[in-house]
Amino acid sequence: MKTPNFDEAIKEYFSNLELDENGGQWRVCRFSGNKFYVRPDDIAFYKAHQVPLPTLSPNERIRRKLAFQNSYNLFKIKSAYSGDSIISQYPSNTPFKVFGKTEYYGDKWNPEDYARNYDRNEKFFPQLQKLMLNVPKCNLNNNPNNIDSDYCNNSSSLKNCYLVFDAHSSEDSAYSISPFGSRNCFDCFDPFNCDTCYNCFESENLFHCYFVEYSKDCLYSYFLYDCRDCDHCFGSVNLRHKKYHFFNQPLTKEEYEAKMKEINLGDRNVLQEYITKFEEIKKKAFNKQDHNEKSINCSGEYLNNSKNCFSCYYEIGGENLAYCIGGMAIRDSYDIVGGIEVESCYECWGRSDNYGNKFCDIASSQNMEYSVFCRNCHDCFGCDGLSNKSFCVFNKQYTEEDYNKLVDAIKTKMLADGEYGEFMPPELAYFPYNISIATSYLGYDNLEIAKKYGYKIEEVPENLYDIKEGVIDSQDVPADIKDVGDDILSKVIFDRKNNKKFRYTKMELDFYRRNNLPLPLEHYSVRLANLRKKFGSIVLNFYERNCDKCKKAIESTYTPEDERIVYCEECYKQEIV
């Protein structure tokens, strides 16, 4: 893209920067007031991508993007297109026009009909906001290739899934967060390539596993924590390459099978007894100072098979990244949230198959800036909802030459006005902050702080149903799955503890029966919230503490007050591997 005026302006900006003796610069976040350091490597990236230095700290940059996503709150509203009832991530009082999936991806409307001219006398973001308020939005943030998975959100390539979120390439699963390539998983958090699992957490390559956490390559096991390559094990921690272990004690095959026959986990009271025992034995487990694996020259947490990543959180296969969170196969990028196969992008929601984008929330596109909900586009600026388009500004088509001239003028003015260079401001967020993903985890959930920074806190109407007939108290649901009849499917369950009503589905009843597990008594939203709470804060912080074995000083994501046993990497490997 040819932008000579902007090129000259950004060149002058960098020539006027005052850097320290190392070539970096300390800055003060204009939201939090906290100091943060812009490293020499960061400045080289910003120069190469022609963006000014950030005015927000890394955490506040993440907060800003998280405020634009609502994964877990679903509402029943009327389609602005047909008037039909639809499930939506937008509440009924949203200012946006919301279409159902088939309506949104159909050919009955054209986002170019909402095109507007750029006004050089007005700032950019108020104009973008007007466009965004006019262009219809899809009810859910799902890839259109999902099959029979209408009650899921922020997902792609799902089949026969129900209330599954942040998911990819999974099927026959329900009430789970971030399943990837998994099948038959219920009440799980981040199961990667797992099959037939229940209440499993941060684990991969599991088969017929239940209440298994931070484990890999395990089969037919229950209540495991930090185990690898285990088969038919129960109630154990830190195991490697074991079979027939019961509470970390080896048994013969016959002894193990005899033990298992005595335990009826289909009885809720028995199950709760073993859940309590499991919580106790986890306190004796050895924990590595971080959860990074097979990563080179990286700083962060939950980094796997990654290289040259700085201050990143939850990246798989990342390379040459900084300040990124929750991605897979992200390369040569800064400040990306989520995403699969993203390269050379800055300050974006990653989504999928993006290259060279800045300040966007789009998919399968290249060289885009300040655009949302576009697909298969390239070289567009400030657009919403376009598909297979190029050289557009505010959804209006231009020739390549005219596009370059207009974008040059817009970016030059934005830079002068202090608008250019960071993700869209809080007032453009699609959702009230209090239902955004930012508040779904610990770390960014303080609403008063968010309100002070300009994020919208609004009362959200709930879908209330005055159902009186066929309602039973959850405490009246049989304790043993063997005592549950098919008539439970016609009942409305009142979760008195959380003041919520719900129904069981045939899919989950069949799952619990097949796997001899009792029916849950709490509303699904509470169970999912408990999984997120268990994951902990999504703000990346490191704390100084001492290895509980060799006593050397280490940096860890575990706070000094955390009573779990935490080892440095060397001691952990000596003890476990």
Side-chain angles (χ1 to χ4, degrees):
M1 181 167 56
K2 298 176 181 178
T3 53
N5 294 314
F6 174 77
D7 294 349
E8 188 62 32
I10 196 72
K11 181 179 178 181
E12 182 180 358
Y13 167 86
F14 277 106
S15 68
N16 292 329
L17 279 181
E18 296 182 4
L19 306 179
D20 62 21
E21 64 276 11
N22 297 315
Q25 186 188 86
W26 281 99
R27 311 204 101 197
V28 177
C29 175
R30 63 185 170 92
F31 274 10
S32 67
N34 294 332
K35 291 182 68 177
F36 65 99
Y37 188 65
V38 183
R39 304 171 304 148
D41 287 349
D42 300 340
I43 292 176
F45 178 92
Y46 301 140
K47 278 186 177 180
H49 289 261
Q50 291 193 295
V51 293
L53 273 59
T55 65
L56 298 174
S57 68
N59 284 342
E60 290 308 322
R61 301 199 300 267
I62 290 174
R63 181 202 296 271
R64 179 170 282 199
K65 290 183 284 292
L66 293 177
F68 279 69
Q69 172 88 25
N70 166 29
S71 281
Y72 312 121
N73 300 281
L74 300 183
F75 307 91
K76 186 170 285 189
I77 68 170
K78 298 290 185 182
S79 163
Y81 180 83
S82 63
D84 294 340
S85 180
I86 56 175
I87 298 300
S88 170
Q89 62 183 331
Y90 299 89
S92 60
N93 62 345
T94 181
F96 296 104
K97 295 187 284 284
V98 181
F99 289 2
K101 182 179 77 170
T102 55
E103 300 160 352
Y104 184 83
Y105 290 108
D107 57 2
K108 302 298 184 183
W109 73 286
N110 186 350
E112 291 179 82
D113 292 342
Y114 300 87
R116 56 185 294 120
N117 293 317
Y118 170 69
D119 185 346
R120 297 170 187 263
N121 297 315
E122 187 179 351
K123 286 197 170 185
F124 174 79
F125 287 122
Q127 297 181 70
L128 179 60
Q129 185 175 35
K130 291 174 184 176
L131 175 74
M132 291 170 59
L133 287 169
N134 281 329
V135 178
K137 304 293 180 280
C138 190
N139 60 322
L140 296 168
N141 189 27
N142 295 327
N143 191 298
N145 63 4
N146 284 0
I147 299 172
D148 294 331
S149 302
D150 294 340
Y151 287 79
C152 301
N153 197 23
N154 197 32
S155 65
S156 61
S157 303
L158 300 187
K159 182 179 180 181
N160 193 33
C161 289
Y162 180 69
L163 293 171
V164 165
F165 305 93
D166 306 335
H168 181 70
S169 296
S170 296
E171 58 185 79
D172 300 320
S173 298
Y175 313 118
S176 294
I177 295 173
S178 299
F180 192 104
S182 294
R183 299 151 298 283
N184 301 301
C185 290
F186 282 63
D187 287 67
C188 291
F189 188 98
D190 194 34
F192 188 96
N193 192 32
C194 295
D195 193 335
T196 312
C197 293
Y198 180 69
N199 231 296
C200 291
F201 193 87
E202 281 298 331
S203 296
E204 63 181 89
N205 300 329
L206 305 182
F207 184 68
H208 279 270
C209 286
Y210 314 86
F211 301 94
V212 171
E213 304 176 10
Y214 297 103
S215 298
K216 296 182 179 181
D217 307 314
C218 295
L219 311 171
Y220 300 104
S221 295
Y222 298 80
F223 301 110
L224 301 186
Y225 182 89
D226 185 34
C227 293
R228 304 284 188 274
D229 187 27
C230 292
D231 185 355
H232 288 87
C233 291
F234 188 103
S236 298
V237 300
N238 298 136
L239 292 182
R240 299 293 185 269
H241 318 297
K242 301 297 183 184
K243 270 189 174 184
Y244 306 119
H245 275 56
F246 190 85
F247 286 97
N248 278 67
Q249 298 302 310
L251 302 176
T252 65
K253 180 176 182 292
E254 293 73 21
E255 289 171 335
Y256 181 86
E257 290 176 347
K259 282 271 190 188
M260 293 304 297
K261 285 181 179 179
E262 297 173 357
I263 301 172
N264 177 23
L265 294 179
D267 185 315
R268 188 176 300 107
N269 298 316
V270 175
L271 177 63
Q272 187 56 53
E273 175 187 340
Y274 282 96
I275 290 174
T276 302
K277 289 181 178 180
F278 184 46
E279 291 302 314
E280 287 301 312
I281 66 165
K282 283 196 297 184
K283 296 176 182 178
K284 301 176 182 178
F286 306 126
N287 298 275
K288 189 161 72 77
Q289 65 190 83
D290 58 44
H291 293 91
N292 299 338
E293 292 191 22
K294 300 177 182 177
S295 294
I296 301 170
N297 190 32
C298 290
S299 71
E301 177 66 311
Y302 290 100
L303 306 180
N304 196 309
N305 288 304
S306 295
K307 181 180 180 181
N308 301 330
C309 296
F310 177 79
S311 193
C312 291
Y313 200 173
Y314 218 98
E315 295 290 332
I316 300 174
E319 187 169 349
N320 303 326
L321 307 179
Y323 317 114
C324 295
I325 178 171
M328 178 176 289
I330 315 293
R331 296 173 294 279
D332 305 316
S333 299
Y334 271 43
D335 291 275
I336 306 300
V337 173
I340 301 173
E341 295 289 347
V342 174
E343 186 172 350
S344 297
C345 290
Y346 175 58
E347 275 270 56
C348 290
W349 265 97
R351 304 309 175 193
S352 62
D353 303 307
N354 283 313
Y355 179 87
N357 301 326
K358 302 171 190 171
F359 327 116
C360 287
D361 184 4
I362 56 180
S364 303
S365 298
Q366 300 177 32
N367 303 322
M368 307 276 286
E369 296 191 53
Y370 289 112
S371 296
V372 298
F373 303 118
C374 296
R375 306 176 306 284
N376 301 310
C377 295
H378 70 85
D379 296 283
C380 293
F381 196 101
C383 291
D384 184 349
L386 297 182
S387 181
N388 302 307
K389 302 299 293 184
S390 58
F391 308 120
C392 295
V393 176
F394 288 155
N395 285 28
K396 183 176 180 179
Q397 183 68 63
Y398 293 87
T399 65
E400 182 175 357
E401 182 180 357
D402 288 343
Y403 171 81
N404 287 336
K405 289 180 180 178
L406 181 55
V407 170
D408 190 17
I410 294 173
K411 291 175 65 171
T412 302
K413 185 176 186 300
M414 288 181 71
L415 185 65
D417 290 344
E419 286 188 303
Y420 186 78
E422 291 177 306
F423 195 73
M424 294 168 284
E427 58 267 25
L428 269 64
Y430 326 127
F431 313 100
Y433 186 85
N434 40 302
I435 63 168
S436 73
I437 197 172
T439 60
S440 297
Y441 292 86
L442 300 175
Y444 298 102
D445 52 331
N446 188 312
L447 298 184
E448 290 303 314
I449 289 177
K451 187 175 181 179
K452 184 174 71 171
Y453 297 164
Y455 294 95
K456 296 177 290 188
I457 311 298
E458 297 178 0
E459 185 174 341
V460 176
E462 291 189 44
N463 296 126
L464 300 177
Y465 305 98
D466 188 21
I467 303 172
K468 296 180 180 178
E469 295 184 4
V471 178
I472 65 170
D473 196 287
S474 59
Q475 297 304 316
D476 295 329
V477 175
D480 197 317
I481 189 64
K482 294 182 178 63
D483 297 328
V484 175
D486 290 348
D487 62 328
I488 197 73
L489 298 176
S490 65
K491 306 293 184 184
V492 175
I493 312 303
F494 178 45
D495 172 9
R496 188 176 300 277
K497 177 181 176 183
N498 301 294
N499 195 32
K500 293 179 180 290
K501 294 176 181 177
F502 66 96
R503 293 181 186 271
Y504 299 117
T505 67
K506 187 176 186 306
M507 180 171 72
E508 66 179 308
L509 178 60
D510 291 344
F511 176 87
Y512 295 129
R513 283 173 170 169
R514 283 196 310 271
N515 296 283
N516 192 37
L517 294 164
L519 291 172
L521 302 184
E522 288 192 304
H523 191 271
Y524 82 88
S525 65
V526 176
R527 302 188 331 253
L528 290 174
N530 288 337
L531 287 174
R532 298 193 299 269
K533 183 178 179 181
K534 183 175 184 176
F535 182 78
S537 175
I538 54 174
V539 175
L540 181 60
N541 285 316
F542 287 94
Y543 305 93
E544 293 184 0
R545 58 181 293 163
N546 297 103
C547 170
D548 285 321
K549 186 176 184 183
C550 71
K551 307 304 180 185
K552 79 173 183 181
I554 58 174
E555 277 195 342
S556 175
T557 53
Y558 296 96
T559 66
E561 296 77 27
D562 195 317
E563 295 182 353
R564 281 175 285 190
I565 302 170
V566 179
Y567 285 176
C568 66
E569 186 165 357
E570 293 77 11
C571 290
Y572 177 83
K573 287 181 176 179
Q574 291 172 7
E575 192 74 33
I576 304 297
V577 179

